[in-house]
Amino acid sequence: MTKVKTWLEDNLKGDLIIWGIVLLLSLISILAVYSATGSLAYRKMGGNTEIYLFKHSALILASLVVMWAVHNIPYKYFSKLSLFALWVSVPLLMITYLFGSTINEANRWLTVPIINQAFQPSDLAKLALISAVAGMLAKRQRKITDIKGTFIPIIIWIGIICLLIAMANMSTAVMLLATCLLLMFIGRVPLKYLLVVGMVGALVLSTAILMGQRGGVFFARIEKFFDDDPAAISFQAKHSYIAIATGGITGKGPGNSEQRNILPHPYSDFIFAIIVEEYGMIGGGFVLFLYLALLYRGMRVVAISTRPFGGLLSAGLSFSLVIQAMINMGVAVGMVPITGLPLPMVSMGGTSLIFTGISLGIILSISRGDHEDAFVNEQKSINRKVKVA
């Protein structure tokens, strides 16, 4: 037992509770996706569900390895890397919009030629923008009201990235805009400037609705959500509600979901409905608790952070992950209109899991770095007191 504890302390640094939350979500993900891919395996693999189990487990493991690798990198380097990633994201988003793979009437995926693996450039752009905004706010804390030097560069990048994402993925763009507004509020940006960002964001999103690929779908989903007629409920929402209603308190048991054979994308967009159907309100409540605990630990990292960039970056990434989780769960229970946002670290996916791992690794790097800085300062203080004595 002592050896295990020593190994964990040597290799899993930073906030150990975040590590525990991630491992629990990973286990839940493997169980839920294995069950939810039954009908998909029947259609494409002749019923061989082990293929999807192995593939998803490998992606979960890859995301954990990426998270571990990133948490060993000092977080100060992410400030410079984020600006480079932003400049890379702009042409990638444009290429994807024009030539990307079309799924559900939108070009969101770009296939890497050599490895023949598709990924969403919006995942990279989202991470880059949050990191860049945190970096710009941290460097300009003493001149936060400087319109030309502080406010204009931030609003330009938010406008460009949100516009390019919204042209094909409105829900991600809205979530990213909300995260940036929260980040700017924490970064002491005056309220009048936040109102300007909100108005620019509304203009950008309106432009994307009119010119983008998903404007019609966006309006249709909003209209159905606010329609009081039960007949207007979409097919996905209807069967998601059935899954949750029939799950009861304790659920039907692992692998006993019925709606997984009816719901479109039960392993990604509606994975939470399958979790509640199989594990009941207890299981669904536990998943909700894990995300709220993740938000709390992320905010605790903000509280103990010794540098502005670390605190702002941890806040932005924590908000991004948990807001996305809340939206996904809200869709399943009918609290928000249907979106295509996956449940972070739980839904089946490739790049989504990897970039979630990167985000969590950065949060752990911040907690690790600040703890180590605090430890060094404490040791220096003790040494000074010893010398004086």
Side-chain angles (χ1 to χ4, degrees):
M1 191 68 179
T2 305
K3 291 182 179 180
V4 173
K5 184 179 179 182
T6 303
W7 185 90
L8 290 174
E9 290 176 350
D10 292 339
N11 292 276
L12 305 183
K13 298 189 177 181
D15 194 316
L16 291 179
I17 295 180
I18 293 180
W19 277 107
I21 292 170
V22 172
L23 292 175
L24 285 172
L25 287 174
S26 300
L27 178 61
I28 292 170
S29 175
I30 292 172
L31 293 173
V33 169
Y34 178 56
S35 175
T37 52
S39 58
L40 182 66
Y42 180 79
R43 292 195 307 267
K44 295 189 175 183
M45 299 295 175
N48 189 356
T49 56
E50 284 73 17
I51 293 178
Y52 288 105
L53 173 63
F54 176 78
K55 181 179 179 181
H56 182 66
S57 299
L59 286 170
I60 287 286
L61 179 61
S63 67
L64 293 174
V65 171
V66 168
M67 183 174 70
W68 176 83
V70 171
H71 106 292
N72 284 308
I73 301 173
Y75 68 86
K76 63 181 180 180
Y77 293 114
F78 295 111
S79 179
K80 295 180 180 179
L81 287 173
S82 64
L83 292 174
F84 172 75
L86 273 181
W87 284 106
V88 172
S89 298
V90 172
L92 283 178
L93 288 170
M94 295 175 68
I95 292 170
T96 304
Y97 180 75
L98 295 172
F99 309 108
S101 302
T102 303
I103 300 176
N104 294 330
E105 301 177 359
N107 295 358
R108 299 179 183 176
W109 299 85
L110 198 62
T111 303
V112 181
I114 299 176
I115 62 175
N116 196 31
Q117 179 66 46
F119 83 105
Q120 291 193 69
S122 60
D123 288 328
L124 172 63
K126 180 174 63 176
L127 178 61
L129 181 62
I130 293 172
S131 301
V133 170
M136 288 185 280
L137 288 172
K139 291 177 182 177
R140 297 165 172 83
Q141 281 293 293
R142 294 186 178 181
K143 47 181 181 179
I144 201 68
T145 58
D146 182 2
I147 295 177
K148 184 178 180 180
T150 301
F151 185 64
I152 298 298
I154 292 176
I155 200 172
I156 287 175
W157 275 117
I158 291 176
I160 291 173
I161 297 299
C162 285
L163 175 63
L164 291 174
I165 292 177
M167 296 291 282
N169 193 342
M170 181 61 63
S171 54
T172 297
V174 172
M175 185 198 70
L176 183 57
L177 176 62
T179 302
C180 289
L181 285 170
L182 282 170
L183 189 54
M184 294 175 73
F185 176 76
I186 295 172
R188 302 187 305 112
V189 173
L191 182 59
K192 59 182 179 181
Y193 291 172
L194 293 179
L195 292 175
V196 173
V197 175
M199 289 188 290
V200 171
L203 178 63
V204 164
L205 297 179
S206 299
T207 303
I209 290 173
L210 296 174
M211 299 177 58
Q213 299 171 331
R214 303 282 285 175
V217 175
F218 176 79
F219 281 122
R221 287 178 173 177
I222 296 294
E223 184 179 354
K224 285 184 178 181
F225 180 74
F226 288 103
D227 196 329
D228 294 330
D229 185 1
I233 299 176
S234 67
F235 180 84
Q236 302 102 306
K238 177 182 177 181
H239 286 279
S240 177
Y241 303 160
I242 292 173
I244 291 171
T246 57
I249 301 296
T250 58
K252 299 176 180 177
N256 292 324
S257 168
E258 297 174 7
Q259 298 305 313
R260 63 180 176 176
N261 299 318
I262 304 172
L263 264 171
H265 309 294
Y267 40 81
S268 56
D269 298 355
F270 291 93
I271 189 73
F272 186 69
I274 304 303
I275 291 173
V276 176
E277 185 182 10
E278 294 190 347
Y279 300 95
M281 290 180 60
I282 295 175
F286 181 65
V287 172
L288 174 61
F289 168 77
L290 289 178
Y291 284 110
L292 292 177
L294 176 62
L295 178 62
Y296 170 75
R297 300 306 296 185
M299 292 301 102
R300 187 177 180 277
V301 172
V302 176
I304 66 172
S305 180
T306 58
R307 294 174 180 141
F309 176 61
L312 289 168
L313 183 55
S314 177
L317 294 176
S318 299
F319 276 126
S320 175
L321 291 172
V322 177
I323 288 173
Q324 181 174 326
M326 294 301 168
I327 292 174
N328 179 281
M329 291 185 282
V331 168
V333 300
M335 294 183 64
V336 296
I338 292 176
T339 68
L341 294 175
L343 191 59
M345 212 65 202
V346 175
S347 293
M348 186 173 77
T351 53
S352 173
L353 286 171
I354 298 300
F355 279 100
T356 299
I358 293 174
S359 297
L360 291 165
I362 293 173
I363 295 173
L364 287 168
S365 174
I366 296 166
S367 68
R368 172 185 177 178
D370 283 336
H371 281 312
E372 289 179 354
D373 288 345
F375 175 78
V376 171
N377 292 333
E378 183 181 357
Q379 290 301 310
K380 288 181 179 179
S381 177
I382 294 172
N383 292 335
R384 282 197 297 268
K385 290 180 181 178
V386 170
K387 288 181 180 180
V388 170

